[in-house]
Every structure is written in structure tokens, then in C-alpha cells.
Amino acid sequence: MANEQALIDELSKPEYASLSDQEAADAVNAKTVTERQPVDSGELQDACMALGVWAKLEAAAETGKADPPASLARTMMQRLNANRPIDLDAPAVQTMTANMISFGLMTQDDADAIAALAVQEVRWVDAEGIGECGIGYIINARKEIAGVHDGE
């Protein structure tokens, strides 16, 4: 298991104390957390179209113009057409978003709606790198919590 300490810390919480090993495994496997993840560029493009941002980008992206709104609009359109995940928390993306707001290519509300796409609900065991947790993991973690080590 990649992150045994996370499982030990989780099982040390009072809500697991009265659960059987199987119940604890089921509870741990069912637990979810939210985390920010890269977003597929197609999903971002769809959101931009729905919000009216794409139309603003098209209008601003005149070929041959080198001014910042035009070049920024072309860059954003190229990135959204690239068919790859985009990390909305990357500093370069944050800077581009701020610039788009300052040039009137999107509003802060648009940026907030797009940023919300990065929030995903995932299983806690996957977020912690534990993977599917069976009763063997629970038994071993509970032994660690109790200070019982094999061979002692």
C-alpha cells in the first residue's frame, strides 16, 4: 500500500472505533473528497461557448493583429482546441485568465464558473494513493494503531 500512514490516521478517528474490519473497509472505500484536477480542453471549450466567452474570443482574435487582446484570444482558442487536459491552477493559466478579465474577454463570474469545472469528487482511497482497501489493510492498520507488530 502506497500510503499506509494516511489509512492509520483515518482509522484513528473516533467514527471507526466501533466498526468491524469489514465495515471500516467499506466506510473507507466509500469516503469521498473533492480535489482540483486538470480539465479536458473540450469541456472547457463547451463551457466557454455556453458562457459567451468563445464568441468574445472569436471577435477579438483578428488575424494579423498583435495587440494583447487579439494575441491572447488566439492563444486561448489554440489551447482550447488542443484536445488535452488543462491545469486551471497552473500559474500561466491563472495569468491568462486574469488578462482575459482585464481585456473584457470574460467576466470574473465566467472565470469562477470555469474554475469550478476543476473541482472533482474522488474516492479518498484514490486521492491518498491507497487504492481499494480490503480488511487485510484495516487489520494491519489497526495493529499499528494499537502498537502491535507482527512477530512481537
Side-chain angles (χ1 to χ4, degrees):
M1 172 181 8
N3 196 348
E4 185 176 3
Q5 189 58 51
L7 181 59
I8 291 168
D9 293 344
E10 183 68 19
L11 292 174
S12 295
K13 295 178 179 176
E15 59 260 36
Y16 296 97
S18 65
L19 300 180
S20 70
D21 293 337
Q22 185 61 58
E23 289 170 334
D26 292 344
V28 168
N29 287 322
K31 180 178 178 171
T32 60
V33 294
T34 57
E35 64 181 23
R36 294 186 56 80
Q37 296 182 346
V39 180
D40 178 73
S41 59
E43 185 179 354
L44 289 170
Q45 187 177 32
D46 289 347
C48 285
M49 287 179 181
L51 293 167
V53 172
W54 189 259
K56 291 177 185 177
L57 292 174
E58 285 180 325
E62 294 180 50
T63 305
K65 288 186 88 177
D67 59 63
S71 60
L72 177 61
R74 283 192 302 273
T75 299
M76 286 303 298
M77 292 174 76
Q78 289 170 352
R79 291 184 74 143
L80 292 171
N81 283 322
N83 196 25
R84 65 179 176 82
I86 296 176
D87 180 358
L88 298 179
D89 296 327
V93 175
Q94 292 288 314
T95 298
M96 290 178 80
T97 300
N99 288 337
M100 286 183 54
I101 293 168
S102 72
F103 290 122
L105 298 173
M106 71 170 27
T107 66
Q108 184 61 55
D109 287 344
D110 295 335
D112 293 344
I114 290 169
L117 297 173
V119 178
Q120 300 292 318
E121 188 171 293
V122 296
R123 292 184 338 149
W124 177 81
V125 291
D126 295 331
E128 292 293 333
I130 296 168
E132 189 70 23
C133 188
I135 63 171
Y137 284 164
I138 301 298
I139 291 168
N140 289 337
R142 284 180 162 168
K143 283 181 181 178
E144 286 294 320
I145 293 166
V148 176
H149 303 282
D150 290 335
E152 288 184 13

